[in-house]
Amino acid sequence: MAEEFNFKSEVKKLYSLLLFLFTLFVVGGGGLIYYVNNPDVFDFESKTETIAVAPIEEDEDRIENGIHVRTGLIDAEGLMTVVNNCTNCHSAKIVTQNRMNTERWNATIKWMQETQNLWDLGGNQEIIVNYLVANYPPKAMGRRMELTDIKWYELED
Amino acid sequence: MVIGAELVFGSKMLEGYIPLALQDPDPFKLFNKHKDMVVLNDKPWNIEAQAHLLDDKITPNSCMFIRNNGLVPEGIDAKAWTLTIDGESVKNQKTYTLEELKSKFNHHTYQLTLECGGNGRAEFNPPAKGNQWTVGAVHCASWTGVRLRDVLEDAGIKSNAVYIGFHAVDKHLSMDPKKEPISRGCPMSKALQDETILAFKMNGKAIPLIHGYPLRLVAGGWPASVSGKWVNRISIRNKVHDGTKMTGTAYRVPCKPVAPGEKVKDEDMCIIESMPVKSLITYPKTGAIISKSKSLNIRGHAWAGELEVAKMEYSIDFGSTWNTCTIEKPANRLAWQHFSARVDFPKSGYYEVWARATDTNGLAQPMLLPGWNPKGYLNNACHRIAVKVK
């Protein structure tokens, strides 16, 4: 019995030791991780400066409301061919701002190839131009448009 | 990196340093711009003002449009900065440090109107290719620097000089080191004007990086693309400068008027020089609702390229009748002029207040779009705001 009692108490001691070491590990390790991430935690004179990090999209090519979120381009046939060939040097914003017919989109591509180091698009050119003409065609504006999108407000003196 | 994670040792980073991996920055913070500025393009950066943001007599940095053809240079060291004067028509090629320029030549300060040649492009029909500027690609800041003339004369100008062309340190979008994003210039007559300066200050402070720190050529009244940013070399040419954006269709309009949409050969396109007469109502912001018992005080600015504005008018009946505005003299040649008027409305309803400036040659702003041109330059049609009277 005495032997058994001894054995039980040894196990208990060992258990307590392990529990202590584990607690030390969790608290100490956690604290260390916190300190690495917040090196100013003991620096009571300076404020911790948080630098905003742009959240990284889970799917960088996701579409919302028919728009390719990353570029602002309309989701339609040929979208990714346009993204992959037309947004390396410049932003897609210069595409979405413009309105041209087939001839002028082709002329624009030719100009970029002649002066801006754009590569030969091969069979992709037709896909790209078809996409652009379908989604960004010219619209008639006449000699002067009416004022639109007026945000009315009460003018205070 | 995890969403919302704090940057390890972030607080130990240099102030103002933007980590490369995080360069999807907020342009409003990056360039200290007003929240109502409109981003047209983010690579390269092109940002415009709205009319009501330009109400100040001297435009603050926060409301100045940004126009770039290439990538903004990084890591500029003003102490190591030099300007070289070279070209076929320089007598002695010379290089000056920024300090030498500042100490050797007299300083001058001018308010200078800089308007993008393509300001108003968005209205052309058929549409013109490029950034679709509406009304906000214009500003009039106060620039301090040395006269380009003094520096060119110090190096010596040969009698066969025709043009100057600037070179700068911004990078081409393709990152091809052999390509310049833009290298424009002006004829000697413009280069030698009192007000054409090599500026190192804007509104009394070092020029912000995005506007050309540490040295910018400023040539008021001409397309703002003549006012090269980050300039480190100026060539005195014995011919019209043939740098990037000087040739082809860039900053050129048909030498003779053409029908909308007509094709124009490169050799029939002429370089834009002075900008045309134009004005902007900067107060109130469009969309004001007022009560009939009150008059409306409007104000704004008018400019006329190389010329002055001689007359300023407004109309509340779509041009049937015009009324005179008060117009001030410019602070100096090539500065925009401030106008104001008290407007009374005969009855309640929807109105548009249209503004029209006339230059010293008697040319006035058109109410309709002026002559169509392939690249959509020089739209100086009258500006208007909407007003409702209760």
Side-chain angles (χ1 to χ4, degrees), chain B residues 31 41 43-47 65-73 131 133 170 173 181-182 209-211 229-230 245 251:
Chain B
F31 307 128
N41 202 343
K43 189 185 172 189
W45 285 110
N46 284 284
I47 299 176
F65 77 93
I66 293 174
R67 197 305 181 234
N68 282 298
N69 289 267
L71 302 170
V72 182
N131 285 296
W133 305 100
D170 45 343
L173 288 179
I182 187 163
L209 174 65
I210 196 66
H211 293 295
K229 302 190 272 191
W230 314 292
K245 304 257 171 181
Y251 300 102

Coordinates of all heavy atoms in Angstrom, one line a residue, chain B residues 31 41 43-47 65-73 131 133 170 173 181-182 209-211 229-230 245 251:
Chain B
F31 N -1.0 62.5 -51.2 CA -0.7 63.8 -51.8 C -1.3 64.9 -51.1 O -1.4 66.1 -51.6 CB -1.2 63.7 -53.3 CG -0.8 62.6 -54.1 CD1 -1.7 61.8 -54.8 CD2 0.6 62.3 -54.2 CE1 -1.2 60.7 -55.5 CE2 1.1 61.2 -54.9 CZ 0.2 60.4 -55.6
N41 N -7.4 58.4 -62.6 CA -6.5 57.3 -63.0 C -5.5 57.1 -61.8 O -5.1 58.1 -61.2 CB -5.8 57.7 -64.2 CG -5.2 56.5 -65.0 OD1 -5.1 55.4 -64.4 ND2 -4.9 56.7 -66.2
K43 N -2.8 54.8 -62.2 CA -1.5 54.4 -62.7 C -1.4 54.8 -64.2 O -1.9 54.0 -65.0 CB -1.2 52.9 -62.5 CG 0.2 52.5 -62.9 CD 0.4 51.0 -62.8 CE 1.7 50.6 -63.4 NZ 1.8 49.1 -63.5
P44 N -0.9 55.9 -64.5 CA -0.3 56.9 -63.6 C -1.4 57.7 -62.9 O -2.6 57.7 -63.3 CB 0.4 57.8 -64.6 CG -0.4 57.7 -65.9 CD -0.9 56.4 -65.9
W45 N -1.0 58.5 -61.8 CA -1.9 59.2 -61.0 C -2.4 60.4 -61.8 O -1.6 61.3 -62.3 CB -1.2 59.8 -59.8 CG -1.0 58.7 -58.7 CD1 0.2 58.2 -58.4 CD2 -2.0 58.0 -58.0 NE1 0.0 57.2 -57.4 CE2 -1.4 57.1 -57.1 CE3 -3.4 58.2 -57.9 CZ2 -2.0 56.3 -56.2 CZ3 -4.1 57.4 -57.0 CH2 -3.4 56.4 -56.2
N46 N -3.7 60.5 -61.9 CA -4.4 61.7 -62.5 C -5.6 62.0 -61.7 O -6.5 61.2 -61.6 CB -4.7 61.4 -64.0 CG -3.5 61.5 -64.9 OD1 -3.0 62.6 -65.2 ND2 -3.0 60.4 -65.3
I47 N -5.6 63.2 -61.1 CA -6.7 63.6 -60.1 C -7.1 65.0 -60.4 O -6.3 65.9 -60.7 CB -6.1 63.5 -58.7 CG1 -5.6 62.0 -58.4 CG2 -7.1 64.0 -57.7 CD1 -5.0 61.9 -57.1
F65 N -5.0 70.1 -59.2 CA -5.1 68.8 -60.0 C -3.7 68.2 -60.1 O -2.7 68.9 -60.1 CB -5.7 69.1 -61.3 CG -4.8 69.7 -62.4 CD1 -4.1 68.9 -63.3 CD2 -4.7 71.1 -62.5 CE1 -3.3 69.5 -64.2 CE2 -3.9 71.7 -63.4 CZ -3.2 70.9 -64.3
I66 N -3.7 66.9 -60.3 CA -2.5 66.1 -60.6 C -2.6 65.5 -61.9 O -3.5 64.8 -62.3 CB -2.3 65.0 -59.5 CG1 -2.1 65.6 -58.1 CG2 -1.1 64.1 -59.9 CD1 -2.0 64.6 -57.0
R67 N -1.5 65.8 -62.8 CA -1.5 65.1 -64.1 C -0.1 64.5 -64.2 O 0.9 65.2 -64.1 CB -1.7 66.2 -65.2 CG -2.1 65.8 -66.6 CD -1.2 64.9 -67.2 NE -1.6 64.5 -68.6 CZ -1.7 63.2 -68.9 NH1 -1.6 62.2 -68.0 NH2 -1.9 62.8 -70.2
N68 N -0.1 63.2 -64.5 CA 1.1 62.5 -64.7 C 1.1 61.7 -66.0 O 0.0 61.1 -66.3 CB 1.4 61.5 -63.5 CG 2.0 62.3 -62.3 OD1 3.0 62.9 -62.4 ND2 1.2 62.2 -61.3
N69 N 2.2 61.6 -66.7 CA 2.3 60.7 -67.8 C 3.1 59.5 -67.5 O 2.9 58.4 -68.2 CB 3.0 61.4 -69.0 CG 2.2 62.5 -69.6 OD1 1.5 62.3 -70.5 ND2 2.2 63.7 -69.0
G70 N 3.9 59.5 -66.4 CA 4.7 58.4 -66.0 C 4.6 58.1 -64.5 O 3.6 58.5 -63.9
L71 N 5.6 57.5 -64.0 CA 5.6 57.1 -62.6 C 6.3 58.2 -61.8 O 7.4 58.6 -62.2 CB 6.2 55.8 -62.4 CG 5.6 54.6 -63.2 CD1 6.4 53.4 -63.2 CD2 4.2 54.3 -62.7
V72 N 5.8 58.5 -60.6 CA 6.4 59.6 -59.8 C 7.8 59.1 -59.3 O 7.9 57.9 -58.9 CB 5.5 59.8 -58.6 CG1 6.0 60.9 -57.7 CG2 4.0 60.2 -59.0
P73 N 8.8 59.9 -59.5 CA 10.1 59.5 -59.0 C 10.2 59.3 -57.5 O 9.4 59.9 -56.8 CB 11.0 60.6 -59.5 CG 10.2 61.8 -59.7 CD 8.8 61.3 -60.0
N131 N -7.5 60.7 -70.5 CA -8.2 61.0 -69.2 C -9.3 62.0 -69.4 O -9.2 63.0 -70.1 CB -7.2 61.6 -68.2 CG -6.2 60.6 -67.6 OD1 -6.7 59.6 -67.0 ND2 -5.0 60.7 -68.0
W133 N -11.0 64.5 -68.3 CA -11.1 65.7 -67.4 C -12.4 66.4 -67.6 O -12.9 66.6 -68.8 CB -9.9 66.7 -67.8 CG -8.6 66.1 -67.7 CD1 -7.8 65.7 -68.8 CD2 -7.8 65.8 -66.5 NE1 -6.6 65.2 -68.3 CE2 -6.6 65.2 -66.9 CE3 -8.0 66.0 -65.2 CZ2 -5.6 64.9 -66.1 CZ3 -7.0 65.7 -64.3 CH2 -5.8 65.1 -64.7
D170 N 11.2 61.4 -64.0 CA 10.1 60.4 -63.9 C 10.2 59.2 -64.8 O 10.9 59.4 -65.8 CB 8.7 61.1 -64.1 CG 8.6 62.0 -65.3 OD1 9.7 62.4 -65.8 OD2 7.5 62.3 -65.7
L173 N 5.9 54.3 -67.9 CA 5.0 53.3 -67.4 C 5.5 51.9 -67.7 O 5.3 51.0 -66.9 CB 3.6 53.4 -68.0 CG 2.7 54.6 -67.5 CD1 1.4 54.6 -68.2 CD2 2.6 54.6 -66.0
P181 N 8.6 59.6 -70.2 CA 7.1 59.7 -70.2 C 6.7 61.0 -70.9 O 5.7 61.0 -71.6 CB 6.8 59.8 -68.7 CG 8.0 59.4 -67.9 CD 9.2 59.6 -68.8
I182 N 7.4 62.1 -70.7 CA 7.1 63.3 -71.3 C 8.3 64.2 -71.3 O 9.1 64.2 -70.4 CB 5.9 64.0 -70.6 CG1 5.5 65.3 -71.3 CG2 6.3 64.4 -69.1 CD1 4.1 65.8 -70.9
L209 N 6.2 66.8 -53.7 CA 6.8 65.8 -54.7 C 5.9 65.6 -55.9 O 6.4 65.7 -57.1 CB 7.0 64.5 -54.0 CG 7.5 63.3 -54.9 CD1 8.9 63.6 -55.5 CD2 7.5 62.0 -54.2
I210 N 4.6 65.5 -55.7 CA 3.7 65.2 -56.8 C 3.6 66.4 -57.8 O 3.2 66.2 -59.0 CB 2.3 64.8 -56.3 CG1 1.5 64.1 -57.4 CG2 1.5 65.9 -55.7 CD1 2.0 62.8 -57.9
H211 N 4.0 67.6 -57.4 CA 3.9 68.7 -58.3 C 5.3 69.1 -58.8 O 5.5 70.2 -59.3 CB 3.2 69.9 -57.6 CG 1.8 69.6 -57.3 ND1 0.9 69.5 -58.3 CD2 1.1 69.4 -56.2 CE1 -0.3 69.2 -57.8 NE2 -0.2 69.2 -56.5
K229 N 7.8 68.8 -64.6 CA 8.1 68.5 -63.2 C 9.4 67.7 -63.1 O 9.8 67.1 -64.0 CB 6.9 67.7 -62.6 CG 5.6 68.4 -62.7 CD 4.5 67.6 -61.9 CE 3.8 66.5 -62.6 NZ 2.6 66.1 -61.9
W230 N 10.0 67.8 -61.9 CA 11.3 67.0 -61.6 C 12.3 67.2 -62.7 O 13.0 66.3 -63.2 CB 11.0 65.5 -61.5 CG 9.8 65.2 -60.7 CD1 9.7 65.4 -59.4 CD2 8.5 64.7 -61.1 NE1 8.4 65.0 -58.9 CE2 7.7 64.6 -60.0 CE3 8.0 64.3 -62.4 CZ2 6.4 64.1 -60.1 CZ3 6.7 63.8 -62.5 CH2 5.9 63.7 -61.3
K245 N 5.7 63.4 -76.5 CA 4.5 64.3 -76.4 C 4.6 65.6 -77.1 O 3.8 66.5 -76.8 CB 4.0 64.4 -74.9 CG 3.8 63.1 -74.2 CD 2.4 62.7 -74.1 CE 2.2 61.3 -73.6 NZ 0.9 60.8 -73.4
Y251 N -0.8 67.0 -77.6 CA -0.9 68.5 -77.4 C -0.9 69.3 -78.7 O -0.4 70.3 -78.8 CB 0.2 68.9 -76.4 CG 0.1 68.2 -75.1 CD1 1.0 67.1 -74.8 CD2 -0.8 68.6 -74.2 CE1 0.8 66.5 -73.6 CE2 -1.0 67.9 -73.0 CZ -0.2 66.8 -72.7 OH -0.3 66.2 -71.5

